[in-house]
Amino acid sequence: MALSTPLSQMSVALPTGIDGSTRSMIKSQSFTEKSWGPRLRLDSKSRSFSVKKRSTVCMSLQQASKSKVLVTPLELEDPKETPLNLYRPKEPYTATIVSVERIVGPKAPGETCHIVIDHDGNVPYWEGQSYGVIPPGENPKKPGAPHNVRLYSIASTRYGDSFDGKTASLCVRRAIYYDPETGKEDPSKAGVCSNFLCNAKPGDKVKITGPSGKVMLLPEDDQKATHIMIATGTGVAPYRGYLRRMFMENVPNFKFDGLAWLFLGVANSDSLLYDEEFSGYLKDYPKNFRYDKALSREEKNKTGGKMYVQDKIEEYSDEIFKLLDNGAHIYFCGLKGMMPGIQDTLKRVAEERGESWEQKLTQLRKNKQWHVEVY
């Protein structure tokens, strides 16, 4: 189903059959404690799910609601092993595009899209993992061979945006190239995979690999833990999955009662990603969620320069360091160029506190509190 409702609205689809071939659209639906998700049973040998007939709820990009969605595919909660590389580049899985939705405003530099992919339950994943995407066409550097795999962090929980374990969402910025001399766009140098995904239409096929990655998995053994999440741009993708799991879904085995603190750095207000969802969590769960934005083209830091995410970290550095000392997890996701500035800031703050940043970083890594995925 294509997600065509505005970001601020909620759409609910109630399929009459398991395949969802006949649907009725309802604008407002209150969620109760009854289960809206289908029961799924994972068959590890066939890499597929069997589904018991049940009504399902589909929600597009929307604000959070304190009345959570109860999800019930319990087998996804207690698998024996982390799902890893179920499909590889030589034998990818052919999934289907459900929807492509632009999620930035007109004044945002560039275009970012939220892309929902139907994998029919055959490529299960955990929050914080990535899918590989193989765009159609021939690799220009290897005639006759397919394109290389491009990795994208998954921006949904294991249940997907439809809460049935059958979809995954990606947050993709369209990569374009401008000739420095003419200032004009050069389509011949545009990002092959990002443009394929952003141009895709519902029903188009997409070859995916994975899931991959363990570094960004959300530790759930302590449901009162603190999670400090730092992102630039589309690096917010895994955190959207974390936060939906914490605050949107009623997961039987995971009742989050800790602190989730998100720092998001983007160019301007129109560039904010999933802002309505995050603002909804802030309203409904003020004791469990904090949300700080760094808008480089709209805000100034304390020295009068552009406000970057490391400036926000420095602003709250004393509190952040105390939380880390008490066992908080800290995550970094986004462009590789974000890390030097952040590392410099953390080092300077540590030295001001009379600490060795090198020793502290070594301890954070040893304690598995330090999680980094940059590209």
Side-chain angles (χ1 to χ4, degrees):
M1 180 187 74
L3 305 182
S4 57
T5 53
L7 301 185
S8 60
Q9 294 182 4
M10 176 193 306
S11 62
V12 180
L14 302 177
T16 58
I18 294 175
D19 62 355
S21 55
T22 304
R23 299 173 184 268
S24 61
M25 297 305 299
I26 304 174
K27 283 290 182 183
S28 298
Q29 175 69 45
S30 61
F31 298 109
T32 63
E33 285 301 303
K34 68 182 291 186
S35 168
W36 291 94
R39 291 188 180 275
L40 305 184
R41 182 171 62 255
L42 176 62
D43 181 345
S44 59
K45 293 183 179 180
S46 65
R47 295 175 175 165
S48 64
F49 292 100
S50 61
V51 184
K52 295 182 180 179
K53 186 174 181 180
R54 200 172 194 132
S55 297
T56 61
V57 145
C58 284
M59 299 170 71
S60 73
L61 302 175
Q62 73 257 313
Q63 296 185 27
S65 170
K66 261 200 166 182
S67 185
K68 294 184 177 181
V69 180
L70 181 62
V71 291
T72 56
L74 299 180
E75 289 77 5
L76 286 174
E77 291 301 317
D78 191 28
K80 294 180 180 179
E81 296 180 0
T82 306
L84 281 172
N85 300 315
L86 301 178
Y87 292 89
R88 299 179 180 275
K90 290 186 177 180
E91 294 182 352
Y93 179 81
T94 301
T96 304
I97 297 291
V98 175
S99 63
V100 177
E101 184 174 359
R102 178 188 170 101
I103 56 172
V104 291
K107 295 181 181 179
E111 180 181 22
T112 301
C113 296
H114 180 79
I115 299 164
V116 180
I117 297 173
D118 182 1
H119 58 80
D120 200 30
N122 294 313
V123 197
Y125 57 89
W126 286 355
E127 298 75 21
Q129 290 192 298
S130 300
Y131 271 172
V133 176
I134 303 175
E138 185 178 283
N139 189 331
K141 296 182 179 180
K142 298 178 181 179
H147 283 288
N148 294 331
V149 173
R150 272 73 164 183
L151 289 177
Y152 293 93
S153 297
I154 298 172
S156 51
T157 73
R158 64 195 70 185
Y159 300 110
D161 285 10
S162 300
F163 306 107
D164 60 3
K166 290 187 173 184
T167 68
S169 300
L170 305 181
C171 180
V172 179
R173 175 166 176 163
R174 185 190 295 273
I176 56 178
Y177 174 82
Y178 290 96
D179 188 293
E181 294 183 1
T182 64
K184 295 182 179 180
E185 182 181 340
D186 184 351
S188 67
K189 296 183 179 179
V192 173
C193 197
S194 65
N195 281 273
F196 159 66
L197 289 170
C198 290
N199 290 335
K201 300 292 187 293
D204 287 354
K205 300 302 180 182
V206 55
K207 293 182 178 180
I208 60 175
T209 66
S212 63
K214 282 182 154 184
V215 173
M216 296 291 286
L217 291 178
L218 182 66
E220 297 187 354
D221 52 329
D222 180 3
Q223 298 181 20
K224 293 183 178 293
T226 295
H227 303 275
I228 303 168
M229 302 163 283
I230 299 164
T232 57
T234 57
V236 77
Y239 308 143
R240 179 182 183 258
Y242 297 172
L243 295 171
R244 285 173 75 91
R245 184 162 174 81
M246 292 170 177
F247 302 125
M248 184 177 286
E249 298 175 346
N250 186 348
V251 181
N253 296 346
F254 182 60
K255 305 295 182 182
F256 181 69
D257 192 30
L259 173 65
W261 191 354
L262 173 64
F263 291 87
L264 175 58
V266 293
N268 56 24
S269 299
D270 270 23
S271 303
L272 287 168
L273 305 173
Y274 309 112
D275 188 56
E276 290 186 57
E277 280 190 22
F278 301 154
S279 297
Y281 304 143
L282 193 62
K283 177 183 176 182
D284 290 342
Y285 302 94
K287 294 182 179 179
N288 301 97
F289 182 53
R290 294 175 65 172
Y291 180 28
D292 283 278
K293 313 165 194 178
L295 309 178
S296 61
R297 299 188 185 181
E298 293 181 2
E299 300 175 324
K300 301 292 184 182
N301 60 24
K302 65 181 183 180
T303 63
K306 292 183 177 181
M307 176 69 78
Y308 293 112
V309 71
Q310 59 262 33
D311 298 309
K312 281 291 181 181
I313 294 171
E314 185 172 14
E315 183 179 335
Y316 295 100
S317 59
D318 191 56
E319 191 173 358
I320 289 172
F321 270 66
K322 287 178 181 177
L323 290 170
L324 291 174
D325 289 341
N326 289 324
H329 291 270
I330 190 164
Y331 309 79
F332 304 88
C333 190
L335 293 174
K336 192 178 296 183
M338 72 183 278
M339 288 308 295
I342 290 174
Q343 289 268 33
D344 289 344
T345 297
L346 293 172
K347 182 178 181 180
R348 183 173 63 256
V349 171
E351 290 173 350
E352 290 172 354
R353 292 166 55 92
E355 300 180 57
S356 165
W357 173 243
E358 287 73 17
Q359 291 180 6
K360 193 172 193 70
L361 179 57
T362 298
Q363 192 62 43
L364 290 172
R365 286 172 170 160
K366 182 179 179 181
N367 295 342
K368 297 182 179 180
Q369 296 171 249
W370 184 264
H371 313 264
V372 179
E373 184 173 84
V374 292
Y375 40 86

